[in-house]
């Protein structure tokens, strides 16, 4: 049985006097124990909202969540606030995008690590401090004893993200959700943080849901990849399959837009034209149709259904023909 | 930190010197004067002249000022001509200052004790009827004039609740130690004296607390709303921490900085409210002395009390600035 089973997850934001907005529209995916699954897409495709819905961190008012999120057999969406609070940080950990704003500026790093140990593992403060030192050590923060007493503004960006990873993994959760954990970091630090996460996840046997817009991150990390567009999964496949043979025009476009080291000097990048704001909702045809090079008449009339094509899920009327060149798998 | 404190205190000396000069001149520019106030309108020119001479008011103003400075350096701030004629201004200050401190302390205590929790709850339930009611209530708190509310409390609430409506304490035989009546009873063990003083304090303190309460409430609400949107609160939630820990450690500790600033400013502003409140409740504090002092043109008392009020204001705000460092490590470890 899968560790996490997301079925038909739908999140609708409803504000008084405004049209309801479907941020996530029937997303389904599985995460096996120890597996790393990617959720990929550009800004506004619903990947962050999906992760917040799984964690139960969306505002109670204004967000309507339907579907099921089964963790180890229990539907997290049906749990009470208190039950969910008991699970967050213990069974599910999360790492966020901006490490500076994600740490409390007026509380020392040490306490921000120990409070989660005290809460879920019932450790007394002293014991938790020793454990916190080990944790900081494990995520590669030098001189952890000093760092425990310091405040977030005294740490570098990379170190802050390491501290947040230590916090998220402090209680050895079986599932870690990372929401663009490297976006706010320098490129060199990005690579370090990614390899750290990869290593820790392997050591601890933690399953990882990696949310990113960066296919480079996916290439280095994920076993399976879900490509999201307009709140729906448009293509789902194992990583090597997806990179070798992207079938959805959106996936293909994303891969084609990656700048390549071996490109001839002066060669133009290949962007996906338009932006997410141009899309129309899924209720009337394919949301990607206005930006799609392969669009047919049927695309703006009939919403494409999800089809299983030899272990790959695809939501497209006119997929890219296999063999059309895009990008190669680039390991990190 | 120490250098900073010393610099601020040195600045204070300059402020006090300039203020004393300005006050000295301003008070003498007021129409009338102690002579008319003391002798009335029908006094003979001879007696007026004699009193003017006796008070030293016949000399040029800068000579009066330097004489005042010279005496002030030895601790002599002159003799009251109107508030308590014959008493030294310093004695009047020492007598009345504890009363006002006591009143202001309880007023600001009430304002914080009600304003901060209410502001937090309002922000947490933004847009609910509770929030709307609190916001409207705080607007009323600011809008209703202090003296009006003071009279309402004095005339309506005091009889309804059976609380005394004037003075600091009934004429009971209480031992005086510090001049703070509520504290004296605690020190000497005369609990009934403390209780009696508290009964006298409660209504004026409520009247005085309304404006600081409203301001503290609004600032807390705004600050908490800001902090609730911060990423680190979401991180705290993602760790599954209990609601009280998130509230105390993650939300309130970050929201306190602007609130503390406001409390400092409001403590200073309390004095202007105290003038009205103390007058209405015949509460023998600095505010009441200022009110009487202005009516009777009591130059020495006015001068001393206003300068002391300034010093208190500056020192309170210095303490507030110093407390920032305690709350915010980004200031401390810069």
């Amino acid at each position: 049985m899968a560790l996490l089973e997301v079925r038909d997850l739908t999140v609708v934001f409803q504000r008084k006097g405004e049209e309801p907005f479907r941020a996530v529209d029937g997303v389904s995916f599985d995460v096996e124990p120890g597996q790393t699954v990617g959720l990929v897409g550009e800004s506004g495709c619903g990947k962050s909202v999906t992760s917040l819905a799984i964690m139960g961190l969306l505002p109670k008012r204004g967000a309507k969540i339907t579907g099921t999120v089964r963790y180890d057999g229990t539907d997290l969406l049906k749990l009470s606030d208190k039950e969910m609070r008991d699970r967050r940080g213990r069974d599910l950990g999360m790492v966020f995008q901006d490490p500076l704003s994600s740490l409390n500026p007026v509380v020392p790093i040490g306490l921000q690590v120990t409070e989660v140990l005290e809460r879920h593992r019932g450790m007394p403060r002293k014991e938790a401090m020793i454990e916190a030192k080990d944790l900081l050590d494990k995520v590669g923060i030098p001189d952890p004893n000093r760092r425990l007493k310091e405040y977030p503004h005294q740490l570098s960006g990379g170190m802050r993200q390491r501290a947040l990873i230590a916090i998220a993994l402090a209680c050895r959760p079986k599932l870690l959700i990372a929401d663009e954990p490297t976006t706010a970091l320098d490129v060199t630090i990005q690579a370090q943080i990614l390899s750290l996460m990869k290593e820790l996840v392997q050591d601890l046997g933690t399953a990882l849901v990696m949310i990113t817009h960066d296919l480079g991150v996916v290439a280095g990390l994920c076993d399976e990849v879900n490509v999201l567009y307009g709140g729906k999964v448009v293509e789902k496949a194992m990583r090597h399959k997806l990179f070798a043979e992207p079938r959805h025009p959106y996936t293909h476009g994303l891969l084609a837009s990656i700048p390549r080291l071996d490109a001839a000097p002066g060669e133009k990048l290949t962007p996906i034209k338009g932006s997410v704001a141009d899309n129309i909702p899924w209720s009337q045809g394919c949301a990607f149709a206005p930006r799609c090079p392969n669009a047919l008449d049927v695309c703006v009339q009939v919403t494409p259904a999800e089809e299983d094509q030899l272990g790959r899920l695809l939501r497209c009327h006119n997929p890219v023909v296999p063999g059309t060149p895009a990008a190669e798998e680039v390991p990190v | 930190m120490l250098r900073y404190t010393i610099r601020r205190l040195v600045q204070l000396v300059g402020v006090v010197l300039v203020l004393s000069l300005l006050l000295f001149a301003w008070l003498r520019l007021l129409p009338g004067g102690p002579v008319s106030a003391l002798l009335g309108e029908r006094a003979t020119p001879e007696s007026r002249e004699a009193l003017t001479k006796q008070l030293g008011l016949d000399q040029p103003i800068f000579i009066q000022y330097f004489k005042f400075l010279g005496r002030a350096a030895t601790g002599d701030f002159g003799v009251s001509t109107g508030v308590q004629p014959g008493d030294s201004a310093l004695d009047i200050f020492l007598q009345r200052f504890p009363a006002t401190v006591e009143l202001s302390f309880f007023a600001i205590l009430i304002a914080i004790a009600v304003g901060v929790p209410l502001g937090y709850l309002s922000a947490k339930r933004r847009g609910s009827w509770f929030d709307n009611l609190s916001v409207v209530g705080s607007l009323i708190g600011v809008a209703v004039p202090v003296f009006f509310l003071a009279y309402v409390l004095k005339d309506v609430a005091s009889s309804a609740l059976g609380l005394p409506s004037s003075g600091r304490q009934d004429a009971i035989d209480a031992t005086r130690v510090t001049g703070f009546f509520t504290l004296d009873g605690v020190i000497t063990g005369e609990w009934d004296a403390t209780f009696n003083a508290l009964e006298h304090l409660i209504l004026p303190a409520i009247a005085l607390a309304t404006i600081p309460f409203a301001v503290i409430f609004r600032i807390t609400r705004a600050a908490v709303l800001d902090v609730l949107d911060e990423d680190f609160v979401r991180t705290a939630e993602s760790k599954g921490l209990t609601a009280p820990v998130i509230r105390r450690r993650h939300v309130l500790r970050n929201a306190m900085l602007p609130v503390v600033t406001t409390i400092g400013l409001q403590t200073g502003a309390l004095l202007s409210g105290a003038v009205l409140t103390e007058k209405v409740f015949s509460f023998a504090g600095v505010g009441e002395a200022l009110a009487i002092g202005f009516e009777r043109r009591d130059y020495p008392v006015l001068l001393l009390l206003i300068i002391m009020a300034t010093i208190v204001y500056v020192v309170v705000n210095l303490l507030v600035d110093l407390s920032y460092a305690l709350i915010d490590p980004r200031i401390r470890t810069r």
Side-chain angles (χ1 to χ4, degrees), chain A residues 12 64 75 110 141 149-150 175 183 258 328:
Chain A
V12 182
K64 196 167 161 282
D75 186 355
I141 294 180
K149 294 188 202 83
E150 289 191 339
L175 179 71
T183 311
I258 296 175
E328 284 157 23

Side-chain angles (χ1 to χ4, degrees), chain B residues 93-104:
Chain B
F93 168 76
L94 292 177
Q95 230 173 61
R96 287 170 172 262
F97 185 62
T100 300
V101 170
E102 215 168 33
L103 177 63
S104 306

Side-chain angles (χ1 to χ4, degrees), chain A residues 145-284:
Chain A
N145 274 325
R146 193 183 97 214
R147 296 303 183 187
L148 283 174
K149 294 188 202 83
E150 289 191 339
Y151 292 88
H153 71 278
Q154 291 165 298
L155 270 62
S156 68
M159 258 201 273
R160 283 179 209 133
Q161 195 58 295
R162 284 171 195 268
L164 277 163
I165 292 171
I167 290 169
L169 292 176
C171 295
R172 314 262 159 89
K174 283 192 225 154
L175 179 71
L176 178 67
I177 300 179
D179 187 357
E180 308 238 11
T182 56
T183 311
L185 303 172
D186 288 347
V187 180
T188 44
I189 309 294
Q190 283 185 11
Q192 287 175 19
I193 294 290
L194 285 176
S195 59
L196 172 74
M197 291 188 73
K198 193 173 179 176
E199 190 188 306
L200 287 172
V201 164
Q202 270 167 11
D203 286 357
L204 299 170
T206 307
L208 174 65
V209 174
M210 188 69 174
I211 293 164
T212 178
H213 64 264
D214 185 347
L215 283 164
V217 170
V218 174
L221 218 57
C222 299
D223 304 313
E224 196 185 46
V225 187
N226 294 276
V227 181
L228 269 77
Y229 190 83
K232 273 190 193 302
V233 177
V234 292
E235 186 166 12
K236 177 204 305 274
M238 296 311 276
R239 181 230 315 174
H240 50 266
K241 208 164 176 179
L242 188 92
F243 277 84
E245 214 177 84
R247 297 293 313 278
H248 197 284
Y250 180 58
T251 319
H252 189 267
L254 281 179
L255 286 167
S257 65
I258 296 175
R260 300 180 52 163
L261 277 177
D262 57 354
E267 195 176 298
K268 292 248 170 67
L269 295 173
T270 327
I272 302 174
K273 56 178 185 172
S275 66
V276 199
D278 299 340
N279 73 13
I280 49 167
W282 285 97
S283 55
Q284 272 186 315

Side-chain angles (χ1 to χ4, degrees), chain B residues 26-72:
Chain B
W26 280 337
L27 287 175
R28 277 156 182 75
L29 284 174
L30 291 172
V35 176
S36 316
L38 281 171
L39 297 178
E41 281 170 12
R42 290 192 209 164
T44 58
E46 291 79 35
S47 57
R48 292 181 65 95
E49 204 173 307
L51 187 60
T52 307
K53 213 165 198 160
Q54 191 197 325
L55 294 174
L57 296 172
D58 54 337
Q59 287 165 342
I61 188 165
F62 61 90
I63 293 194
Q64 288 182 41
Y65 180 66
F66 284 117
K67 278 194 170 164
F68 161 77
L69 278 190
R71 283 200 307 268

Side-chain angles (χ1 to χ4, degrees), chain B residues 152-165 203:
Chain B
V152 169
L153 285 172
K154 181 188 162 88
D155 295 338
V156 183
S158 72
S159 56
L161 300 170
L163 289 168
S165 61
L203 290 179

Side-chain angles (χ1 to χ4, degrees), chain B residues 96-108 168 178-184 197-198 201 205 283:
Chain B
R96 287 170 172 262
F97 185 62
T100 300
V101 170
E102 215 168 33
L103 177 63
S104 306
F105 176 78
F106 278 98
I108 206 81
R168 286 182 69 192
T178 57
F180 297 97
F181 288 6
T182 49
L183 198 62
D184 285 353
L198 281 175
L201 255 178
F283 196 86

